[in-house]
Amino acid sequence: MSATVIPAAPVTDHESSAQRPWPPVIWALLLITLIARSLGFAYPFLSYRLKDLGYTTQTVGHALAIFGVGWLIGQLLTGWATDRLGRRRTLVTSMATAAVCLPMMAQAHAFAAVGAGALIVGIVYDAPRPVVTAAIADAITDDAQRAAANGWRHGAVNIGAAITGAAGGLLAVHLGFEALFWFNAVACGACALIAHRYLDADTPTRTNQTTSSTPVRAALGDTRLWLLLIASTAGLTCAAGMFTALPLLMEEDGLSASSYGWTQVANAGTVIALTPVLTPWLSRRCGVSRPMVGTLAASTLLLGVGMGSAGLADTTLGYSLAVAAAMPGEIAFFIAASDVLNKISPDHSRGLYAGIWGTSLAIPVIIAPVLATASLAAGGDSLAGLTTFTAGALGALLCLPLIALTHHRPAAAAPVTPASAAS
């Protein structure tokens, strides 16, 4: 989910030998992703904030699930708006909304206010994802180069998550958890300004191109999209555990917010080490016509093994090693899933397809804390780890029918564009 390495230059169709610098909009999108994640304290530290207010583990799990519901709604809403209203308008509006709502969330104490705030903030928390996915697809048409851009975007997400964990833990100790929401609000405001400056103005053609409901019906009728969504949801339940189940498990073991921050440092360290190795190799694999469904299956299984091993940990080091073990699967997952998504998405519905698929990150945010709290209550850390592994294995199995469909129904079956936390 590194920033110091300059990616390979993007190329256009039939110009694979021509190397050009990436356009400024790509760098702006990567910067927005990095800023939004680096200071995205609201979600990963929400459980600690509610614990600080005296809420029980079960109640905290409910609040996190409400946040996940908002996240799900937000992905669908921003995915639709990306095609219907335009890339820049959608991103600026969502980030400005977050900048206004996050300080209000910082002042919430009663559970009704906390729940309402969690829902609203959840809607705008991951709003950039469908926009960035569609905008990268707009700017880069070569499959391998597009995969490289999404790979580095995923690297920015992970580096940002590490900064969030480390900086958030330190800031919480010295300034309190309320301050984290204010920093998050400032970051969202900065993202809105960058988007307004560097994204192209939304043209009437783009704004009005999906005024009918036909694209929605076509997307909902695409079996490949549904299989990708369900398999991704199962696999990403493991990845979501890094931000939902992991704080709960560590809290039960008596570990502090700063200890959780170190797990995110382990996250970033592993990503920085592996991204320069895995991204070029995976990007070359994206250059073929067939989607990378097999790689997607293997990556979900690796996520299950890595995050499932957290159920055996009881120290900061043990949890950090579990996170590090899951990272190769997560890096491969987002590149492979983005490749599949881009190869089945029609040009005029890139945002819609990205938004629908984006719910596969939101649904696990609902499932993971509920699954973790129920497992902790019924069988402790070991059962929580086992259920996480089972989710990853299920995601791998669900890829089998998707392999068959993408083999018999190649990308040309629909008006598609050739073609990526995560969170």
Side-chain angles (χ1 to χ4, degrees), residues 72-157:
L72 187 153
I73 295 171
Q75 288 297 289
L76 294 173
L77 182 61
T78 55
W80 169 84
T82 295
D83 293 326
R84 180 74 179 269
L85 305 179
R87 278 56 162 155
R88 186 172 76 172
R89 187 177 294 114
T90 300
L91 188 52
V92 170
T93 301
S94 60
M95 289 294 92
T97 301
V100 172
C101 292
L102 281 163
M104 298 180 185
M105 182 69 176
Q107 306 304 314
H109 290 79
F111 186 75
V114 168
L119 180 67
I120 296 172
V121 174
I123 290 174
V124 296
Y125 175 74
D126 202 30
R129 185 177 297 275
V131 180
V132 173
T133 298
I136 288 176
D138 290 344
I140 304 174
T141 58
D142 178 76
D143 288 349
Q145 296 297 330
R146 191 179 284 170
N150 281 312
W152 291 112
R153 179 179 68 160
H154 181 59
V157 169

Side-chain angles (χ1 to χ4, degrees), residues 168-236:
L170 293 174
L171 290 171
V173 170
H174 294 93
L175 301 177
F177 290 104
E178 289 185 13
L180 299 182
F181 290 84
W182 284 92
F183 282 115
N184 202 160
V186 171
C188 290
C191 290
L193 292 175
I194 295 170
H196 187 270
R197 169 65 179 81
Y198 288 99
L199 268 67
D200 292 337
D202 300 311
T203 64
T205 299
R206 172 176 289 170
T207 302
N208 297 324
Q209 66 185 1
T210 58
T211 53
S212 75
S213 61
T214 301
V216 176
R217 289 199 302 268
L220 294 179
D222 192 334
T223 306
R224 298 166 302 169
L225 178 60
W226 280 105
L227 284 171
L228 175 62
L229 172 63
I230 298 169
S232 297
T233 298
L236 286 174

Side-chain angles (χ1 to χ4, degrees), residues 43 61 64-72 240 244 361-371:
Y43 180 61
L64 292 173
I66 292 172
F67 189 103
V69 172
W71 194 337
L72 187 153
T244 56
L361 289 97
I363 296 172
V365 172
I366 304 170
I367 296 173
V370 175
L371 193 63

Side-chain angles (χ1 to χ4, degrees), residues 38-54:
S38 297
L39 297 177
F41 302 119
Y43 180 61
F45 285 93
L46 180 58
S47 60
Y48 289 104
R49 160 70 172 160
L50 297 181
K51 281 285 189 177
D52 190 53
L53 293 176

Side-chain angles (χ1 to χ4, degrees), residues 239-266:
M242 193 179 305
F243 307 105
T244 56
L246 199 64
L248 296 176
L249 291 171
M250 296 182 75
E251 180 75 22
E252 287 292 310
D253 286 331
L255 299 174
S256 66
S258 60
S259 296
Y260 171 72
W262 282 112
T263 67
Q264 299 309 296
V265 173

Side-chain angles (χ1 to χ4, degrees), residues 22 184 189 332 360:
W22 277 354
N184 202 160
S360 68

